[in-house]
Amino acid sequence: MTVQITIRNVPESVRAELASRAALQGKSMQDYLRGELERLVSRPSVESWIATIRECKAVAGIRVDAATILKTRKTDRR
């Protein structure tokens, strides 16, 4: 079952950019926006992702200080 969503008060510049992006992909704005919404919900939200990371850190009980991270990063870039 599908539903309709209405978004009001969209600035003209935003509507124009969305229309342009849809046209570049050869899609109607409706098809383009539906695809973008599906893509958006296919990934976890930032809040959900951070919560998952915090849970993993709590379970693992590992804490790495910033100096070690930066040192390792610098070594990996060489």
Side-chain angles (χ1 to χ4, degrees):
M1 182 175 158
T2 61
V3 297
Q4 292 184 3
I5 297 174
T6 301
I7 301 174
R8 292 183 172 79
N9 302 318
V10 176
E12 178 61 32
S13 60
V14 172
R15 192 216 60 81
E17 179 62 26
L18 291 170
S20 175
R21 291 181 186 190
L24 285 171
Q25 294 186 17
K27 296 180 179 180
S28 67
M29 193 175 331
Q30 179 175 319
D31 286 341
Y32 174 77
L33 290 173
R34 182 178 29 254
E36 288 298 295
L37 289 171
E38 289 170 352
R39 184 180 64 79
L40 180 66
V41 300
S42 71
R43 299 185 297 198
S45 68
V46 171
E47 295 81 9
S48 173
W49 180 78
I50 289 172
T52 300
I53 298 301
R54 286 185 174 146
E55 289 172 16
C56 290
K57 282 177 60 178
V59 169
I62 298 171
R63 178 153 170 80
V64 180
D65 61 278
T68 302
I69 293 170
L70 293 173
K71 181 180 174 185
T72 303
R73 184 181 74 172
K74 186 183 288 186
T75 302
D76 286 346
R77 288 185 174 177
R78 291 182 186 170

